Structures are given as structure tokens and as C-alpha cells.
Amino acid sequence: MSALTADEAGGANVAAFLDMIAYSEIGPELLALSEDGYNVLVGSTPAHPLLFSSYGEHPRIHNAAMNSDAAGRYQFLGRYWTSYRAQLDLADFGPVSQDIWAIQLIRECHALGLVKAGQFATAVNACKSRWASWPGAGYGQHENDLAALQTAYTEAGGTVA
């Protein structure tokens, strides 16, 4: 569950969308084995969780096999941390900050209104460049199908218009 309440996130659909991103990027098994995904490093699996312990900064731990330093519930890349931290006045890389950053990415994709309105498929399509696990993302990684993402979203309390 996101660290922000539904009201703080901008509504139940936004909170559910955050939970769906985590479902897609981290997976339910790894979410259960970690601090709800907030401390997960790229390359983690349920059999071999790779976790970080300090939320002071983005951990910037490079996984050579994945050629990435993505971290956290939404798998943010370290190279963007400094600018988003300043732009959003984030105190740290903790759960609330990660939620705020994810909402900002949704906003930048011009999808926040779509999410709030329950236009799920259109919102996912608008944001697919931000999350490699989404259908049509094109990063050469496993992509989840839209039906699975919508199920995760509705199970988290989101509504589809």
C-alpha cells in the first residue's frame, strides 16, 4: 500500500494506480518480502531479494547484470534523483518521497487527470515510457499485460470509467 493516504495522493484512483505500479515493477511476492517495495533494488527476485537499508538518498547501487541502478517501489533511476529531489523538495528517498515522485511522473505524462477519472488503459498507455514492466514500454524487459495491471488496480480500490 502506498505511504500516502488516498486523500494525500489525490484520490482513491491515484493511490490504487501507485499500488498497481508497485505490483507491476516489484511483484506481489517481493512486495511482501520487503518494506512494501520501497527498499528494493533492481534485479531483486523473491528467491534473492536485493534490499537497501537507508532512505537518506537514492542508493545508486549499480546492478551490472541489469545495467541499472533502479531502486525503490517505483524503480527510479539514480541519475534523476538529484533533480527530482530539488524540484519536489523531497526530504529523503523514503516511502512518502517515492510516492510524491511517482505522482510527479504521472503528472509529467499528462495522465494524472486520466487516472483520477478512471481512464485506466489510456493512463497506462500515456505513462508506458516511465515503467519498463508496462505493455508497450519497449525496454526489452518483461512487460505485464494490461488485464493483469487493471486487476491489480481494481483490487487496490481503483475504479475504471
Side-chain angles (χ1 to χ4, degrees):
M1 214 163 129
S2 63
L4 294 175
T5 66
D7 286 343
E8 292 168 333
N13 283 353
V14 178
F17 205 78
L18 293 176
D19 289 344
M20 179 276 300
I21 298 168
Y23 166 88
S24 185
E25 289 290 307
I26 305 296
E29 298 87 6
L30 194 51
L31 286 169
L33 294 171
S34 65
E35 293 174 8
D36 208 17
Y38 289 104
N39 63 332
V40 171
L41 295 169
V42 68
S44 291
T45 65
H48 187 64
L50 303 171
L51 308 175
F52 61 92
S53 58
S54 173
Y55 289 116
E57 293 279 336
H58 186 289
R60 291 189 172 111
I61 297 172
H62 187 260
N63 181 319
M66 303 291 293
N67 192 27
S68 178
D69 69 351
R73 191 171 202 247
Y74 310 106
Q75 293 294 282
F76 296 119
L77 297 174
R79 68 178 172 255
Y80 300 118
W81 167 241
T82 302
S83 61
Y84 278 103
R85 182 177 198 170
Q87 174 188 350
L88 301 171
D89 195 27
L90 302 175
D92 55 24
F93 191 63
V96 169
S97 295
Q98 289 182 42
D99 287 354
I100 291 168
W101 187 356
I103 293 168
Q104 177 62 24
L105 293 182
I106 297 164
R107 183 179 293 113
E108 289 173 8
C109 293
H110 306 285
L112 192 56
L114 297 169
V115 172
K116 289 180 178 183
Q119 296 177 16
F120 179 78
T122 306
V124 168
N125 189 57
C127 296
K128 69 184 177 189
S129 67
R130 298 303 192 267
W131 287 285
S133 64
W134 286 13
Y139 288 98
Q141 298 179 22
H142 170 77
E143 295 179 3
N144 293 304
D145 65 47
L146 187 63
L149 298 184
Q150 185 170 315
T151 297
Y153 168 77
T154 57
E155 287 179 355
T159 58
V160 178

